[in-house]
Amino acid sequence: MPETILITGGAGFIGSHLADRLVKEGNKVIVLDNLVTGRTENIEHLLKVPGFKFINHNVSEFISIEEDLDWVMHFASPASPVDFEKLAIPILKVGSLGTHNALGLAREKGAKFFLASTSEVYGCPQVHPQPESYFGNVNPIGPRAVYDESKRFAEAITMAYHREHGIDTRIIRIFNTYGPRMRVDDGRVVCSFLSQAIEGKDLTVFGDGLQTRSFQYVDDLIEGIVRLMGVEFHEPVNLGNPVEFTMLELADVIKKITAAKSEIKYLPLGQDDPKRRKPDISRAKELLDWEPEIDLEIGLKMSIDYFKSLSKLSS
Ligand code: UDP
């Protein structure tokens, strides 16, 4: 049965891939985005699809929607560490006021609610890998706090609306995700290294490059999201690829697949940069029969053409 699904942040990197998938499955999708980091290019191809609608609006302001809704999926938020300084207050607002408004809309419409949370709720983790039961290690006043704490608040208010108002909610914690449609000025490590390698520049490694991340291709994430929509489960679910790389190892993989001659340029590490990050995905495996299928080299190869087109635009 086709559903009517509102996606906040649906013109962003992950939101637009989700919109594609839900449209492909025959649903009526409404994208609400204020384009602070989202881009109309990401959804241009959907504008001609019957039933698809784009609303240019900031979810942190009151939302009024004519249509009946089956789902409110809250994906809006700048999410890159470079945004944490530039967009500190909009990030705090979208995680707090925006989540409140999106939950209020879901309640008004009798819709289900889906929150995109983040591995950043674990902060600089002292438990490795990170299961959902870990409460995290977040500096509440550091530069990353604007994102980490607003997402922690978003999870808290989502659970409160579930408990108090009986809203049928879902929460995912998304680990590092990459793929086509990331912003050229995104600043995240896969974007930076790929663009630098394509342009023959040095790869900028922050710190000693021994910090780790686990990188998930966007299609794997979307599959996990769609599966969770079909299961009534209210506690958070980690969605990420558990294969862990140091930043120096990532640099090597990117140099190999681009055949770049780039050297490594070491730059200072940002404050509170998590030392290690890797999801424990036992819950998603058991609940959703889900695990990532696309390994890093394959996913990066599938992303190269997109990053090459960005390099051409910026040169
Ligand atoms: N990083 C790096 N060079 C860059 C960008 C990032 O070495 O040009 C490092 C960063 O310090 C962090 C890791 O890569 O340890 C992942 O950073 P990213 O910004 O992609 O996201 P995060 O996982 O920190 O949210």
Side-chain angles (χ1 to χ4, degrees), residues 158-177:
T158 299
M159 289 308 291
Y161 266 65
H162 169 64
R163 293 190 188 109
E164 288 285 313
H165 297 310
I167 296 192
D168 189 359
T169 53
R170 309 282 186 280
I171 299 174
I172 52 166
R173 293 182 179 153
I174 303 173
F175 284 67
N176 294 64
T177 303

Side-chain angles (χ1 to χ4, degrees), residues 138-279:
V138 173
N139 171 2
I141 56 163
R144 301 176 83 99
V146 295
Y147 187 60
D148 302 9
E149 296 292 10
S150 76
K151 287 293 189 183
R152 289 169 68 95
F153 173 85
E155 290 195 11
I157 193 172
T158 299
M159 289 308 291
Y161 266 65
H162 169 64
R163 293 190 188 109
E164 288 285 313
H165 297 310
I167 296 192
D168 189 359
T169 53
R170 309 282 186 280
I171 299 174
I172 52 166
R173 293 182 179 153
I174 303 173
F175 284 67
N176 294 64
T177 303
Y178 67 94
R181 298 190 190 157
M182 295 183 94
R183 274 154 43 212
V184 65
D185 59 347
D186 183 280
R188 274 178 285 198
V189 67
V190 170
C191 297
S192 301
F193 286 2
L194 263 183
S195 310
Q196 290 160 349
I198 289 166
E199 292 170 18
K201 296 182 180 156
D202 292 346
L203 307 191
T204 53
V205 168
F206 299 164
D208 59 10
L210 297 178
Q211 69 273 35
T212 69
R213 295 293 186 273
S214 312
F215 299 100
Q216 148 175 260
Y217 188 69
V218 64
D219 289 359
D220 280 328
L221 170 66
I222 301 299
E223 181 61 33
I225 292 171
V226 170
R227 288 192 193 193
L228 184 58
M229 291 171 80
V231 176
E232 207 174 317
F233 187 83
H234 307 295
E235 292 197 8
V237 179
N238 287 339
L239 292 179
N241 191 321
V243 183
E244 190 182 3
F245 291 84
T246 68
M247 295 311 101
L248 287 173
E249 286 167 344
L250 174 69
D252 278 343
V253 175
I254 289 185
K255 274 168 60 177
K256 182 178 148 205
I257 64 159
T258 54
K261 303 260 181 301
S262 311
E263 304 281 323
I264 301 291
K265 180 175 168 187
Y266 289 94
L267 293 175
L269 188 67
Q271 190 192 333
D272 297 336
D273 194 305
K275 190 80 194 116
R276 297 184 77 184
R277 184 185 287 156
K278 164 182 161 138

Side-chain angles (χ1 to χ4, degrees), residues 26-43:
N27 299 292
K28 203 172 144 188
V29 171
I30 303 172
V31 160
L32 188 132
D33 201 303
N34 69 345
L35 305 176
V36 62
T37 51
R39 298 180 310 133
T40 42
E41 290 92 315
N42 291 342
I43 51 165

